[in-house]
Amino acid sequence: PFTIYRKIELNIYLRFTLVIISFLWLMFNLMPLFPQAFSDFIFLFPYLHIMYSPVCHQELQKLICNEFGCTFLCARCTGIYAGVFIFSVVLLLKTSMPAYAIKYLFIAGIPIIVDVIASSISIYTYSKLAAFITGTIFGSTAFYYFYIGIQNWFFEKKRQVV
């Protein structure tokens, strides 16, 4: 039978796995900023660039750069995945989370929409910091809905198997 203790144990494994995956996804994106730390993995950079290309436009002027290189994702996408990682850690540490309502996802998307429109019509110039922050807000909120969906799918599948 599918006991409550087994469900809690599987939920912890799921949360821990999501922390590891989101950490790796974020770190692979940031690797070009620290080539001296990842010198053994520089050969992966062209493949990582290709791997990230379906999830981001990768416009050079919107990438986060330093004197060593640029991220594979733009500032907003990097913020989204930073939000995913941050919230996955919060989820790992919290025992209970508030109920979710889809309106919060839309509310979290409003800053991105406002930022994109305002910079597109030249109310102000594009800011990587603003893009990163709005991405982080949206990413952390969106991840919660993603997590709930995975959790529901996983436990529904387990219930069918048992």
Side-chain angles (χ1 to χ4, degrees):
F2 202 62
T3 67
I4 188 69
Y5 298 110
R6 181 71 177 142
K7 185 176 180 181
I8 291 169
E9 180 184 352
L10 291 173
N11 198 6
I12 291 170
Y13 287 136
L14 173 62
R15 289 177 181 198
F16 187 73
T17 301
L18 292 172
V19 167
I20 297 299
I21 290 170
S22 63
F23 173 78
L24 290 174
W25 185 260
L26 185 60
M27 285 303 102
F28 286 148
N29 175 50
L30 298 175
M31 283 173 70
L33 300 178
F34 310 100
Q36 64 279 13
F38 299 104
S39 60
D40 292 340
F41 301 101
I42 287 180
F43 71 95
L44 290 175
F45 287 13
Y47 303 105
L48 291 172
H49 180 76
I50 292 168
M51 181 180 80
Y52 284 106
S53 65
V55 297
C56 182
H57 54 75
Q58 298 177 322
E59 290 179 31
L60 186 59
Q61 68 275 16
K62 295 184 178 181
L63 302 178
I64 299 171
C65 300
N66 65 11
E67 64 271 14
F68 302 112
C70 297
T71 56
F72 295 115
L73 298 172
C74 71
R76 189 172 329 277
C77 291
T78 299
I80 289 171
Y81 293 113
V84 166
F85 172 67
I86 291 165
F87 198 80
S88 70
V89 171
V90 168
L91 207 57
L92 184 65
L93 302 175
K94 296 281 285 181
T95 55
S96 65
M97 294 302 293
Y100 64 101
I102 197 71
K103 68 180 177 183
Y104 298 119
L105 184 61
F106 290 114
I107 291 168
I110 290 172
I112 288 178
I113 294 167
V114 169
D115 182 46
V116 168
I117 291 172
S119 63
S120 295
I121 61 174
S122 300
I123 292 176
Y124 65 86
T125 57
Y126 175 82
S127 164
K128 292 178 187 180
L129 180 61
F132 181 84
I133 291 169
T134 59
T136 302
I137 293 166
F138 181 76
S140 59
T141 307
F143 178 75
Y144 185 54
Y145 292 90
F146 175 75
Y147 167 74
I148 294 296
I150 288 206
Q151 186 182 41
N152 290 341
W153 176 80
F154 184 74
F155 290 120
E156 287 299 315
K157 289 284 187 187
K158 286 299 238 182
R159 191 174 302 138
Q160 292 171 5
V161 172
V162 176

